[in-house]
Amino acid sequence: MQEEGKETYFDADEIEDLLDSFEESDDYTLYDEVLSLGMRLHPNHQGLQIKQCKLLVYQEQYRKALKLIDSLNQEGDPEIDLLRLECLCALGKFAEARIYTEQLIDSECEYLEDIFEYIAPVLGELGMHEEALEYIHLGQAHFPDNIVLKEELCFNLESTGEIRKAIKICNELIDNNPYSFEDWTTLGRLYSMQGDYEKAIEAFDFALTCDDTDGEVKILKAYCLFMNENYQKALEVYSELLGIPDYTYRVKPLMAEAYLRLDNYEEAYRLLQDTLQHTREYEEPATYINYLLCCAKTNRLEEEQNTLEKALKLFPDHINLLYLKALYYTEKGLEKEAIETLQYILDHIQPDEVYINSLADTNFQLANIYLKKGEIKQALKNYLRVIEHFPSYPMAHLKAAICYLKLGDTQQFMEHITQCTDQEIIDFEGDYIPADSESNKSPLIELIKDYISKNKKDKTN
């Protein structure tokens, strides 16, 4: 009738049946259209008005929804009360929601347990974790054995970082239902969050006993195996997901990382090359960085350069990629270009916690270049920046000591040389130490080399 341009009529119950079927099938393609038709035909029908409220809440038009709810003036209807409380919470009116809940408690309404089960997750999804916890505890005071509230308590504790308490609650849930796939999965995730990978793996194994087809749990288990340095076993778990459309190219970069830890660069190269050739979904900096490492380790130098250029076009301000570019310039003897690239990182890139180590690497590499060029003061400035944020950065104190020695400051030389480890002094080869301009050899540097060669453990000598 729509296609023929004719007026369509359904009675209110038929409209409700249609809307219910959309909700059950989770297909809302025609939901708005059918509801609009129903409201035109039956504007005062309470069931359709409640559906209209639900739609407004779904569209996050909470003020309109609350206004419509108030106009209905219907008491004792569970759907209306649930929607009212959700709107109040979403609008930041938790105090009003709490008062209304207390009124429902006083009236001894029959659906009070449903109220707590519904609103506690809503508060959690809104990020109102303190209010959610308050609501959970209020609900548990009336329904101490309610599983939904206990599950919400577990998620709430996880969201607020109280992992140990969350684990305790999760174990109680498992005691109540030892065959719960969801609870075992949650327990594994919680253990992994606190770095207890052995217990996490055990929990994921129990989860997979309940349902051995869940790819997400397998990925989590493989991750824990990887973090536990069991790379071969991680590869076996990842391999189970190869050939499954939603997982094949998702796990290949993860498998490549495991192969890198096993020094199997050829296999890692094959996996990453296949991933980058067949999908752009995992075209990420980490994928390119690992691929570049594989190219370098397998002597694919031209491909390494081309890949680096491609990666920098996609991620022009990524610290690690820019750092690799600077290293490439350094290896080619292009010191000016290397310094410009490293200085660009320091001047323009604001690293987050993930890349803070790269900032130290950048300063250290820049200092090495300045030291090799004989620009001692500039080199020292960068070494001290490294030490300021990373006092135990390998070789930083040793290189700073050399700079001070070149500048004739023996007091600062001693200050830094005594903070070097024995192994650093043993490993030092002096590749970045420039000769003095007046001669091919520096007496001070020769003194250092003599000191190093004798490997004296008494660093005050």
Side-chain angles (χ1 to χ4, degrees):
M1 291 175 71
Q2 276 189 319
E3 289 172 0
E4 294 174 1
K6 297 179 180 179
E7 182 64 32
T8 310
Y9 180 84
F10 295 94
D11 63 34
D13 291 339
E14 289 172 324
I15 294 288
E16 278 198 282
D17 288 341
L18 273 171
L19 295 173
D20 288 339
S21 72
F22 295 151
E23 292 174 5
E24 290 169 7
S25 62
D26 201 28
D27 181 0
Y28 292 86
T29 308
L30 294 172
Y31 195 95
D32 293 16
E33 191 174 349
V34 171
L35 180 55
S36 295
L37 174 64
M39 292 301 291
R40 283 202 313 272
L41 296 173
H42 313 284
N44 298 316
H45 190 273
Q46 183 171 310
L48 294 180
Q49 288 178 323
I50 292 174
K51 295 286 189 187
Q52 182 68 31
C53 288
K54 285 184 177 179
L55 181 61
L56 290 169
V57 169
Y58 176 76
Q59 295 172 339
E60 298 184 1
Q61 298 186 54
Y62 301 111
R63 293 188 187 283
K64 286 186 177 180
L66 191 57
K67 185 176 180 180
L68 179 56
I69 290 168
D70 289 337
S71 71
L72 296 178
N73 195 25
Q74 183 73 23
E75 295 182 0
D77 188 296
E79 287 189 294
I80 291 177
D81 283 334
L82 290 172
L83 290 169
R84 180 189 297 278
L85 287 168
E86 183 172 0
C87 288
L88 290 171
C89 292
L91 292 169
K93 299 180 178 181
F94 179 71
E96 290 185 37
R98 179 64 189 267
I99 291 170
Y100 194 77
T101 303
E102 293 288 356
Q103 292 174 355
L104 292 172
I105 292 171
D106 292 340
S107 67
E108 299 182 352
C109 75
E110 297 178 355
Y111 47 87
L112 183 61
E113 192 166 6
D114 296 333
I115 294 287
F116 287 111
E117 288 184 358
Y118 183 83
I119 298 301
V122 166
L123 289 165
E125 289 169 6
L126 291 169
M128 301 169 67
H129 300 302
E130 290 185 14
E131 292 83 355
L133 186 60
E134 181 181 338
Y135 213 82
I136 290 166
H137 288 323
L138 180 61
Q140 287 184 320
H142 294 275
F143 309 101
D145 298 324
N146 186 285
I147 298 299
V148 173
L149 292 176
K150 186 168 283 192
E151 289 173 345
E152 283 305 312
L153 177 59
C154 183
F155 290 133
N156 182 279
L157 293 168
E158 178 184 348
S159 300
T160 54
E162 298 191 60
I163 306 302
R164 291 187 181 278
K165 290 182 180 179
I167 288 173
K168 180 178 181 295
I169 299 299
C170 195
N171 275 312
E172 291 177 7
L173 289 166
I174 289 172
D175 289 341
N176 183 72
N177 182 8
Y179 301 101
S180 170
F181 168 81
E182 290 78 11
D183 291 338
W184 280 114
T185 301
T186 299
L187 184 63
R189 187 178 67 250
L190 291 168
Y191 276 129
S192 70
M193 290 172 70
Q194 69 172 18
D196 197 339
Y197 299 114
E198 286 288 348
K199 289 184 178 180
I201 293 165
E202 182 181 349
F204 290 136
D205 280 335
F206 278 110
L208 291 168
T209 300
C210 302
D211 179 4
D212 62 359
T213 64
D214 193 281
E216 297 301 320
V217 174
K218 289 182 179 180
I219 287 178
L220 287 170
K221 178 185 173 182
Y223 164 79
C224 290
L225 288 164
F226 178 91
M227 295 301 293
N228 222 24
E229 299 184 5
N230 195 341
Y231 306 121
Q232 196 60 52
K233 188 65 178 177
L235 285 167
E236 292 174 14
V237 178
Y238 283 135
S239 297
E240 296 176 17
L241 299 171
L242 291 175
I244 301 175
D246 290 341
Y247 292 102
T248 296
Y249 288 109
R250 184 176 167 189
V251 300
K252 281 189 175 184
L254 301 174
M255 293 178 70
E257 198 165 353
Y259 277 119
L260 286 175
R261 297 300 179 94
L262 295 170
D263 295 333
N264 190 339
Y265 299 104
E266 193 64 44
E267 188 61 28
Y269 169 83
R270 185 186 65 79
L271 288 164
L272 292 170
Q273 183 189 50
D274 184 57
T275 300
L276 291 172
Q277 284 180 349
H278 289 89
T279 179
R280 300 192 64 180
E281 186 176 353
Y282 301 105
E283 216 172 36
E284 300 171 348
T287 307
Y288 278 103
I289 290 168
N290 286 336
Y291 189 54
L292 288 165
L293 175 61
C294 292
C295 289
K297 292 290 187 178
T298 58
N299 207 31
R300 293 178 169 93
L301 303 183
E302 184 177 351
E303 186 176 355
E304 179 187 6
Q305 182 182 350
N306 294 336
T307 303
L308 179 57
E309 291 174 358
K310 179 182 178 182
L312 282 167
K313 287 180 181 178
L314 293 169
F315 312 101
D317 285 337
H318 191 274
I319 290 181
N320 289 345
L321 290 171
L322 286 168
Y323 182 68
L324 290 174
K325 181 182 179 182
L327 289 180
Y328 170 78
Y329 284 140
T330 303
E331 290 169 3
K332 294 296 182 182
L334 303 172
E335 293 178 347
K336 179 176 179 293
E337 290 82 353
I339 289 173
E340 288 176 353
T341 303
L342 292 166
Q343 197 61 52
Y344 176 84
I345 295 173
L346 297 175
D347 293 343
H348 295 89
I349 310 299
Q350 294 296 324
D352 56 21
E353 292 182 5
V354 176
Y355 299 123
I356 196 69
N357 287 328
S358 295
L359 193 62
D361 294 339
T362 301
N363 273 297
F364 190 74
Q365 181 65 14
L366 191 57
N368 285 340
I369 297 172
Y370 280 128
L371 183 58
K372 189 174 182 180
K373 284 167 62 66
E375 298 181 28
I376 308 303
K377 289 184 179 180
Q378 186 61 51
L380 178 60
K381 182 179 178 181
N382 288 97
Y383 286 133
L384 293 179
R385 283 178 181 171
V386 175
I387 292 168
E388 180 183 357
H389 298 289
F390 295 89
S392 60
Y393 192 95
M395 305 300 286
H397 279 288
L398 183 55
K399 295 291 184 72
I402 290 166
C403 290
Y404 278 119
L405 202 54
K406 290 287 287 181
L407 294 170
D409 190 336
T410 53
Q411 182 177 349
Q412 285 297 324
F413 166 78
M414 292 303 302
E415 180 71 26
H416 287 276
I417 201 70
T418 54
Q419 295 187 58
C420 301
T421 65
D422 290 341
Q423 194 60 47
E424 284 178 327
I425 295 176
I426 293 168
D427 293 341
F428 177 67
E429 297 178 357
D431 292 340
Y432 283 92
I433 306 304
D436 284 349
S437 58
E438 297 177 357
S439 66
N440 290 330
K441 292 185 177 180
S442 162
L444 293 175
I445 298 304
E446 289 304 309
L447 180 62
I448 294 174
K449 288 183 177 179
D450 179 61
Y451 169 75
I452 292 169
S453 65
K454 293 177 181 177
N455 185 25
K456 293 185 180 295
K457 293 189 176 181
D458 180 6
K459 297 184 178 63
T460 62
N461 189 316

